[in-house]
Structures are given as structure tokens and as C-alpha cells.
Amino acid sequence: MRGLAAVPAYVVMQPTTLCNLDCVYCYLPLRHADRRMPVGVAKAVAASVNPWARAGRFSVVWHGGEPLAAGQELLGALIAPFGPEVEHHVQTNATLIDDAWCRFFAEHQIRVSVSVDGPRERNVDRVTRGGRPAYAHIMRGVEALRRHGLPFSALAVVGRPELGLARELYDFFLDLGPDVVGVNIEETEGVNTRANCHDAAAVTAFWSELVAAWRRNPRIHLREVEWSLRYAAAVLDGVEDQVLPRRLDPIPTVGHDGSVTVLSPELAGFTNPRYGDFSSGNVLVTPLAEILAEAAATPWVGEFLAGVEACRASCSYFGFCGGGHAANRYFEQGRFDGTETEHCRNSKIRLLEGVLEHAREHRSPAT
């Protein structure tokens, strides 16, 4: 895995910067401003995406802000330029979902992912603009999805890994009904400056407990656990070098104004005296395919790729994580060519160690 791929697996689109919630751990810098994407931006992106989608599976992920805050009329107009081969996904806090939105999702065949951190008492950081708990609003949105028979996935943020939490979360999601669940340990990035340093043993135990809960009833897909198990199986089969792609996915994020930020959506909207606005171009000026073909020449991207090589040379977990994420390095270390971050420790190293710890504790005795 060296350099950037010319064709991504998906594109992230920001229909609006606005969010109707004010979650404590949110990284977004402009979530109180309603800056909306013109349809011309979507048309420009679709000009590159549609040929990619005809050649193989391709997704557009509508992210925010809160993408539903853009409204159905605008979101529908932004989706329209994309061909029928494109899969559409939306990452939403679910608070705006009602019967009309469910009909919209069904009509446009949009796959929905809901951000919710577990049962009510685990959602204290997910609040409205007035500082009130958002949990009841989230559950109303989820109930609408269920009422309409729309499958959905879920994404949970964990602020404080502790004993018993992983089992509690998994049981909650079993009842909630998503088909896939992702679990993110809170990250220090963007405007969220809260520390994400945790006791190593506690984080490892959290992941180990999550594996145990999943194995007792593997009715839903658990993203991080299944990633880890696939890697472990590849190691056992001696094919771990085949797990990572040949080149890094550039993960282009197209901002509301057409600017393109590669590798880390979390960098979009930020500026730095040394690195500028992190943009590699704008689709209203240059086709997305051309921007991605030249993205490695963006100065900070080159610095990040040097950091990936430093990880390759120094970290025994490189085959699992591929060198980490650009935004985590920048927001934790102030630069891109560093190596291990707290995010690496919490969500890569201790994740894999937790899976292995569970395996050691539950292996059959030798016969």
C-alpha cells in the first residue's frame, strides 16, 4: 500500500454545514451556519462519479452537518445528477426523520446510518442546540425507519471505555435492530479538544468484552470486530499482506462550496498557516478525477504519506491499520508525518489486542 489510488471507493458530500444538534464531542467547525451546496457542485462531482459507478460498485455518502437539515427538495436535487448505478448513503442523527423522510429514502434507495451512543444514559453528550437531551428525538426517528421497514446501520461514540459498557451497548443495539454497528472511541479532532487518552487495560478489556457479547449472539454485523477477525484469519493463513489495498483510498470529501479534501473528512472546513485550507482543488474549477490524480502533490498529503512510511518501518500493527488517519495525526500532533496517536492506540492497537485477548481466554484446551 503506497501512494493514493486514482479512483476512490466512495465520495463524501456535504449538502449543508448546519446541524440541528450541538453534540459535545462534535468536530465540525461550521455546524451553526447553514451553508448549502449548490446543485452545480453535485453535477460536477457526478461527471466523474457516474463512469466510476458504471465500472464497479460505488457509493456517495451524504454527511454534514446534519444532511437532512438541507431539506428534501435540495437533497433530492443534489442526488438527481448521479446515475442509477450509484449507491447513496446518509449519516444522520435521525432527529428529523419522519414518515415523509422515510418515503424519500425509499424512493431514492438511500441507505441510512443513525448516530446514537447506546441507551438514554449513554447519550448525555448528544444534545439539542438548546442543550436538552436529544435521545427521545433520535428514537422517534428510528421508530419511523422501523415502521416503514427500512434497514439501517448505527454508529456509536464511546467517551469512556469501562467495564460492562460493551455488553450494555451490544444488548441495546440487538433490541434497536440495525444490521451493522460501528463503534468509535471518541477522538480529539476538529473543535473537540477533549483528551482521548485512556488506560490501556481498560480499552483492551472494552474491546474484548464487545467480542464476547457479539459471539454470544452474532445477529448483527459489528464493524470493528469483524475487521479484526478478518485480519487475524489472514495472518493465520499467511496472507496478511493481501489485506490492505495496493494504494490508499483518497476518500474525497466535497464541501458545500465544491472544495475537495482528501483522506480525512474531519479536515474539511479548517485552515492552518502552514497547510492552508487542506483543499486539493475545487470541482467547480477542476474535474474531481483530475483533482484526485494530482492530490498526492498537495504538500500536507505528501507529508502524511511520509508518515505512513514511518509507520510501516516502526509499527508491528501496520498491516492491520495501514498507517492511521491524517486528521488524527494533525489534531493530536500538529503535523502529518508523526506516527502513533492516541486514536491508533484506542481504536487499532487495543482493538486488535482485545480480540486476541478474548481468543486466548476462550481457546479450547489442547488435547
Side-chain angles (χ1 to χ4, degrees), residues 76-359:
L78 294 172
I79 289 172
F82 293 95
E85 301 87 0
V86 176
E87 295 180 3
H88 292 277
H89 301 249
V90 62
Q91 184 66 46
T92 174
N93 60 41
T95 60
L96 300 176
I97 296 177
D98 56 13
D99 292 337
W101 271 111
C102 288
R103 290 190 291 270
F104 181 90
F105 298 147
E107 176 186 353
H108 295 281
Q109 297 182 310
I110 298 174
R111 304 182 183 197
V112 179
S113 178
V114 173
S115 299
V116 58
D117 300 337
R120 184 184 299 273
E121 59 274 16
R122 298 295 181 180
N123 281 264
V124 295
D125 287 337
R126 300 189 62 75
V127 295
T128 67
R129 298 283 292 277
R132 299 181 64 83
Y135 181 78
H137 303 284
I138 297 169
M139 289 301 103
R140 279 199 295 271
V142 171
E143 181 52 39
L145 293 171
R146 294 166 61 169
R147 189 167 59 247
H148 284 260
L150 295 175
F152 64 96
S153 57
L155 183 63
V157 174
V158 171
R160 295 171 298 280
E162 58 190 16
L163 186 65
L165 173 58
R167 183 171 57 254
E168 178 185 342
L169 285 179
Y170 191 73
D171 289 345
F172 168 82
F173 286 116
L174 281 176
D175 291 337
L176 193 68
D179 48 14
V180 181
V181 173
V183 178
N184 291 344
I185 293 182
E186 183 180 339
E187 302 167 39
T188 301
E189 61 185 2
V191 298
N192 178 26
T193 58
R194 299 198 307 188
N196 64 337
C197 181
H198 303 287
D199 176 72
V203 179
T204 301
F206 169 82
W207 291 118
S208 180
E209 182 183 284
L210 191 60
V211 180
W214 175 76
R215 287 193 63 195
R216 283 194 297 271
N217 189 356
R219 198 170 74 231
I220 55 181
H221 293 288
L222 202 53
R223 184 183 65 180
E224 284 73 20
V225 169
E226 294 185 25
W227 284 350
S228 304
L229 292 176
R230 281 196 293 271
Y231 178 72
V235 171
L236 292 174
D237 290 340
V239 294
E240 62 270 29
D241 290 343
Q242 300 176 22
V243 173
L244 296 175
R246 291 289 184 182
R247 293 181 180 273
L248 280 166
D249 192 319
I251 317 176
T253 295
V254 181
H256 69 282
D257 59 354
S259 61
V260 178
T261 305
V262 298
L263 293 170
S264 287
E266 298 85 358
L267 292 170
F270 288 91
T271 59
N272 176 276
R274 178 181 176 190
Y275 301 110
D277 65 359
F278 302 106
S279 170
S280 293
N282 190 297
V283 297
L284 295 176
V285 177
T286 308
L288 178 61
E290 292 184 21
I291 292 173
L292 297 185
E294 302 296 329
T298 306
W300 74 262
V301 175
E303 185 177 302
F304 171 73
L305 293 175
V308 170
E309 293 307 307
C311 284
R312 188 196 307 274
S314 63
C315 183
S316 59
Y317 293 86
F318 181 84
F320 177 55
C321 82
H325 300 293
N328 297 112
R329 293 189 190 188
Y330 173 71
F331 288 115
E332 288 193 31
Q333 301 173 345
R335 55 187 306 112
F336 291 97
D337 56 0
T339 53
E340 189 174 306
T341 64
E342 290 297 340
H343 172 70
C344 292
R345 299 182 188 104
N346 291 330
S347 298
K348 303 296 183 181
I349 295 172
R350 288 160 194 164
L351 164 61
L352 189 57
E353 289 178 349
V355 171
L356 297 176
E357 178 179 284
H358 173 81

Side-chain angles (χ1 to χ4, degrees), residues 53-72:
R54 287 193 290 270
R57 185 175 181 182
F58 197 92
S59 299
V60 170
V61 180
W62 299 94
H63 210 286
E66 167 51 50
L68 303 193
Q72 291 181 31

